[in-house]
Amino acid sequence: MTTNIYIDGFNLYYGCLKADPALKWLDPVRLCKQLLPGRDIHRVRYFTARITPRPDQPDAPNRQDAYLRALDSLSEVSIHYGRFSQTYPRMRLSQPPPGGPGTVEVVKTEEKGTDVNIASYMLMDAFRTDCDTSVLISNDSDLCEPLRMVKNELEMTIGILNPCPRQPSHWLRSLNPAFIKPIRKGVLNASQFPDTVRLPSGAEVKRPLEWA
């Protein structure tokens, strides 16, 4: 069956990659072929946003850039960008100290655009009959509605690869997808890029030392 994959990059990262740097140099096409044997992986859409430096991780954008360049070496993969929004709202403390302030100013960083981008491309591909099966890599229940429409309105097969260590979202399970599979450490270990990836231009990109 012709299968398209829709990857919520940050859900994947925080679900099963962040805790182990050695897993972050992930080849998503290899991962999907291992988890979905016998399927024709037609297209892999990877949704993310460019991160900005933080005092504790000033080189993080360079590592992300290296990874995104490695993804560009895969003919099946296209990258779709949202954006980050950083604001400084004043929020109420749940337990303010006696005689102290009741609110505090916080740094609030939000990723914008990923959910709507995934929904838009998933539905566009389904309307175009670009695949027989739509597979989501995410445990985000906000994506239930586009999956429901693909399954019930367009009568296509849906599946979920769950990157989170906990049980799949109740709302995603309620859609009764054809399958829900966990993404475990063993298959992540077996799905890494080589340490040096050659790009179509002939240039090379190397695994960041922090991810060795």
Side-chain angles (χ1 to χ4, degrees):
M1 299 182 73
T2 304
T3 301
N4 283 3
I5 314 292
Y6 303 86
I7 302 177
D8 182 339
F10 284 99
N11 202 274
L12 172 63
Y13 177 82
Y14 286 106
C16 59
L17 302 180
K18 185 177 186 291
D20 189 345
L23 301 178
K24 294 179 181 180
W25 198 232
L26 180 68
D27 179 338
V29 176
R30 184 177 297 181
L31 174 74
C32 293
K33 287 181 177 179
Q34 292 201 70
L35 290 170
L36 304 171
R39 291 180 178 269
D40 174 18
I41 306 299
H42 173 58
R43 194 184 303 280
V44 177
R45 296 193 184 273
Y46 185 90
F47 299 85
T48 189
R50 291 278 187 178
I51 62 176
T52 55
R54 298 189 315 187
D56 58 330
Q57 293 195 36
D59 292 331
N62 293 329
R63 294 193 292 272
Q64 184 195 40
D65 184 68
Y67 182 65
L68 295 174
R69 292 176 66 206
L71 289 183
D72 273 336
S73 72
L74 302 171
S75 60
E76 301 94 335
V77 174
S78 57
I79 304 173
H80 308 273
Y81 291 99
R83 70 186 192 281
F84 273 110
S85 170
Q86 185 165 290
T87 57
Y88 303 89
R90 181 162 288 277
M91 303 185 74
R92 189 171 61 183
L93 289 167
S94 63
Q95 296 181 334
T103 62
V104 64
E105 187 177 89
V106 301
V107 178
K108 185 177 182 181
T109 302
E110 295 179 286
E111 182 194 358
K112 298 286 191 178
T114 289
D115 288 354
V116 70
N117 287 347
I118 292 174
S120 298
Y121 279 97
M122 184 183 292
L123 289 169
M124 179 186 72
D125 289 344
F127 278 121
R128 293 177 174 178
T129 61
D130 190 59
C131 59
D132 301 310
T133 302
S134 298
V135 176
L136 175 68
I137 297 184
S138 181
N139 197 37
D140 187 348
S141 61
D142 288 347
L143 295 166
C144 282
E145 188 61 12
L147 283 167
R148 185 198 65 77
M149 294 175 70
V150 169
K151 179 187 177 187
N152 295 341
E153 306 300 328
L154 300 174
E155 300 183 338
M156 296 174 63
T157 302
I158 62 169
I160 296 168
L161 302 179
N162 178 24
C164 297
R166 61 183 182 273
Q167 286 292 316
S169 157
H170 162 76
W171 298 107
L172 291 174
R173 285 187 282 119
S174 72
L175 297 173
N176 294 316
F179 57 84
I180 300 179
K181 295 185 178 184
I183 302 177
R184 303 191 188 279
K185 186 173 181 178
V187 73
L188 292 168
N189 271 320
S191 302
Q192 298 295 300
F193 281 114
D195 287 344
T196 300
V197 176
R198 184 174 294 277
L199 306 179
S201 65
E204 295 179 342
V205 58
K206 296 182 182 295
R207 178 197 290 262
L209 292 176
E210 295 87 347
W211 296 357

